[in-house]
Amino acid sequence: MLTLYRTELSTNVERVALALAHKGLKVESVWVPFGERTEVRKVSGQDLVPVMVDDGKVVIDSMEIVRYLEERFPDAPRLYPKDPARRADCLVFIDWFNRVWKRPPNDMEAELSKPAGERDMKRVERLGRAMQGYLDLFEEMLTGRDYLLGEFSAADVAAFPFVKYATHRDPADPHLFHKILVDYQNPGSGHTRVVDWIARMDRRPRA
Ligand SMILES: N[C@@H](CCC(=O)N[C@@H](CS)C(=O)NCC(=O)O)C(=O)O
């Protein structure tokens, strides 16, 4: 049996929820409050969600969980291309997304969490321009195709929960990180393919 430890509004949990639904896998969900991680720590030895438990085997980190699901359930609909070269492209994209794309919003969150007088707003704006530039890159990646690498794949699963904030604006969302994703990803008339991709991805099921 698969058990998923999750919180509401978590980008990284949404990656796993998209992957599970694509594979048609049933999961038991354990919802934990955002600020209370005792149970998560007890199960996994660390505080972050998602955590997946598969008959006693514990897997942490969203895209590690997605890879684990692909290996564990190879006969369910694929999340990574079968062709080795295209599969490598997919893994490189995910690595880029996690290590490069995520850096500006993470650094902005750290900067904006400082006391008001100590924030380097020039740095924040510079990082914000990098985020906006990545939106242009996604627009070009989607030229002539519906998903980031052609067919729906783990690349879309990795990016969508973050890039979706370009069009998802919920004033009741309390997370500063999400507000940064909203404020610094502003699609314009040159981003129709990104906007359509967000809508297309949003129609996909989640576990
Ligand atoms: N690299 C991890 C990051 C997990 C992560 O940052 N999870 C967030 C929710 S989206 C969390 O649990 N944050 C709680 C905290 O920072 O205290 C992954 O991809 O799963």
Side-chain angles (χ1 to χ4, degrees):
M1 190 190 59
L2 295 172
T3 306
L4 177 64
Y5 289 78
R6 59 203 299 179
T7 59
E8 294 284 359
L9 296 176
S10 160
T11 46
N12 291 301
V13 168
E14 190 176 12
R15 288 169 153 183
V16 175
L18 281 160
L20 284 163
H22 177 69
K23 281 196 160 297
L25 299 171
K26 292 260 170 303
V27 73
E28 182 180 294
S29 290
V30 178
W31 293 92
V32 300
F34 193 85
E36 171 45 57
R37 301 301 171 105
T38 312
E39 205 177 347
V40 173
R41 198 173 313 143
K42 206 166 119 194
V43 166
S44 68
Q46 53 89 59
D47 284 4
L48 303 179
V49 291
V51 171
M52 170 76 73
V53 184
D54 176 16
D55 280 334
K57 182 172 168 48
V58 179
V59 189
I60 59 168
D61 190 275
S62 55
M63 294 314 294
E64 286 303 316
I65 295 171
V66 173
R67 271 178 83 162
Y68 174 83
L69 293 173
E70 184 80 338
E71 280 168 28
R72 171 86 167 77
F73 303 99
D75 297 331
R78 308 188 66 82
L79 284 159
Y80 296 83
K82 199 178 168 80
D83 171 68
R86 293 186 50 237
R87 182 183 155 82
D89 289 343
C90 186
L91 294 172
V92 168
F93 173 84
I94 292 165
D95 210 30
W96 171 82
F97 192 88
N98 283 342
R99 291 171 193 262
V100 178
W101 184 92
K102 267 194 189 178
R103 210 161 161 179
N106 281 334
D107 287 354
M108 289 158 96
E109 184 178 30
E111 196 64 51
L112 290 169
S113 298
K114 293 178 183 170
E118 293 173 23
R119 294 175 200 156
D120 181 347
M121 292 310 290
K122 282 213 170 83
R123 177 166 182 247
V124 169
E125 292 308 317
R126 194 171 64 246
L127 293 166
R129 283 195 292 280
M131 289 187 68
Q132 185 67 17
Y134 293 143
L135 219 48
D136 299 342
L137 208 54
F138 289 123
E139 182 71 13
E140 296 195 348
M141 283 185 80
L142 290 162
T143 306
R145 51 195 196 180
D146 283 348
Y147 293 101
L148 294 174
L149 298 180
E151 297 292 305
F152 170 76
S153 75
D156 304 285
V157 164
F160 168 75
F162 298 82
V163 180
K164 74 175 185 186
Y165 286 95
T167 63
H168 289 220
R169 286 151 200 265
D170 175 7
D173 185 333
H175 298 292
L176 172 60
F177 186 68
H178 298 169
K179 181 171 160 38
I180 291 165
L181 300 181
V182 167
D183 288 349
Y184 292 92
Q185 299 185 104
N186 292 297
S189 57
H191 297 105
T192 52
R193 291 191 285 263
V194 175
V195 170
D196 288 350
W197 170 75
I198 292 171
R200 191 173 302 121
M201 283 296 296
D202 218 10
R203 290 193 291 273
R204 299 192 74 90
R206 276 77 150 175

